[in-house]
Amino acid sequence: EKETEIKCLDRMKHLPEETYDFLELVGKIGDTLDKKVYVVGGFVRDLLLKRDNDDIDIVVEGDGVLFAEELNQELKGKLLTHEEFGTASIKLQNNNTIDIVSARREYYEYPAALPKVEKSSLWNDLFRRDFTINCMAIQLNSESFGKLIDYFGGLQDLKNRKIRVLYNLSFIEDPTRILRAIRFSARMGFSIENETKNFIMEAIRDQMITKVSDDRIREEISPMLEDENFIKYVITMQTFNLFEAIDTDLKVTKETMRKLGGIQETMDEFGKLSSQQPDIKRIIITQIFRDFPINRLYDILGKFVVNKLLADNIYYTLEAKEDLYQLLTTEDLDRFTLYNTLSQHSLEDLVFYYNDCEEAYIKHYITYYMLHLKNIKLSMSGEDLLKLNIKPGPIYKKVLEGVLKAKISGEIYTKSDEIDYAYGLYKEMKGEENV
Ligand code: CTP
């Protein structure tokens, strides 16, 4: 025990000075108010794992709101209090947020396996949490600064790289934990302990996931999609059949899995063709939903994205898919039609279609467009039409469009070609007008 204590303090000494000083300050204010204070949860887990974590959660055995007020006297941040819950948060100048909760003694029936001795308020606070690795605390009061409190074997599980719940009903009480277990296990490469795995499967079987709001599902799924190794999460979700549990129509087939696995490579290929950086998250979501019934797409999009525009974009990408694939399997498609069709799509669409389609033809056309058509621009402009003594008016737009079409079609190349062609076109249009 002495050893872990020393280790804990040692790790804390490696924290950024600002963070270390802050934790010391929290402890000192605890001393002044004669209350025990702790930093808890994800911060402690990540400290022991030597991972950076700027989210600091403080537990006070006593009035957390009063404590937050005292603390903010020193910090001069933006204080937000919720008296009724005994919680507060302070937003610091550097934009980090400190959350403070009051630990209270709670009187409820402990699960039968646990002895009914009176537990400390801290114990109660930690017992309500999700996984053993997230249930450790470090005391901050001066006398015990750096003392690790580990009631549930979190340190051992951290060493063994295990995700384990504290009690069997954990996933029933809070089904978001199903997603959290998957998120942590994939993110940190931890395995889900067997009994916990069974609890997850039971909860999924009982359709607990359908009780989770769209917002909360999104909060857990969003960080998964932002991780460059997102495929790990998808694989773990798939092993629990979680996609189907979220929506029975959401079937992520082997083929989709393979395509998801190919997105990064496709992105790299496109990196060579375009200097723009496409939004990979959008491509991933589109790929996950590629087989989802389009008339129900908005029902499920809300669980994955908050942004209406992003949802609309994904909808349009998938809606256009079949017709586009059909068109792009036409032999000898002319350059102008190809340009006209693909220029209506975003880079994300093109990456998605390229990644998703099976036909070599389609891939070929997309690559051809990216390489030879996408960046075609006219060298001439309205100025040149003026020099040809053409009277400005709506005809300018028509002529220039005609020239662009000829250039895209490969009929003309140089600026002087363009000007000649423009003049011919102008004459033609004028002639038609005069008829
Ligand atoms: N927590 C919980 N059950 C949840 C959500 C959160 O028990 N459904 C607890 C965990 O103890 C967690 C803490 O609240 O450590 C803070 O939650 P959060 O900030 O969401 O997670 P972190 O563990 O900090 O993870 P991350 O690094 O992904 O932010």
Side-chain angles (χ1 to χ4, degrees), residues 279-301:
D279 171 11
I280 187 167
K281 188 169 160 183
R282 171 167 157 192
I283 299 165
I284 297 166
I285 299 172
T286 314
Q287 191 69 75
I288 292 175
F289 294 141
R290 66 101 60 204
D291 294 319
F292 197 83
I294 192 98
N295 59 334
R296 292 200 51 237
L297 195 60
Y298 278 101
D299 295 350
I300 188 100
L301 276 174

Side-chain angles (χ1 to χ4, degrees), residues 41-42 45-46 53 55 57 128-130 134 174 176-177 180 183-184 187 216:
R45 174 197 71 216
D46 288 343
N53 188 335
D55 289 334
D57 291 305
R128 289 185 289 111
R129 292 170 184 258
D130 53 4
N134 287 340
D174 180 357
T176 18
R177 290 176 178 167
R180 290 175 63 84
R183 180 157 72 80
F184 287 125
R187 184 175 82 189
R216 298 204 64 195

Side-chain angles (χ1 to χ4, degrees), residues 130-131 162-167 171 177 181 191-202 240:
D130 53 4
F131 311 117
K162 292 265 183 242
I163 310 282
R164 183 198 308 269
V165 281
L166 305 192
Y167 51 97
F171 294 112
R177 290 176 178 167
S191 61
I192 300 174
E193 175 274 330
N194 278 335
E195 210 179 11
T196 301
K197 215 181 251 176
N198 288 332
F199 294 148
I200 293 182
M201 291 195 287
E202 264 169 45
F240 285 103

Side-chain angles (χ1 to χ4, degrees), residues 248-264:
T248 43
D249 282 336
L250 185 54
K251 295 182 173 66
V252 179
T253 61
K254 278 212 178 84
E255 203 179 299
T256 302
M257 289 300 282
R258 181 172 52 74
K259 289 175 181 175
L260 281 166
I263 289 179
Q264 194 54 56

Side-chain angles (χ1 to χ4, degrees), residues 18 50 52 58 65 77 108 114-115 144 255 276 316 325 341 373 407-408 414 422:
E18 193 186 24
K50 298 187 185 157
D52 291 341
I58 302 291
V65 174
Y108 55 85
L114 292 161
S144 313
E255 203 179 299
Q276 243 178 298
Y316 292 128
Y325 287 0
T341 312
L373 304 182
K407 192 163 183 179
I408 289 164
T414 63

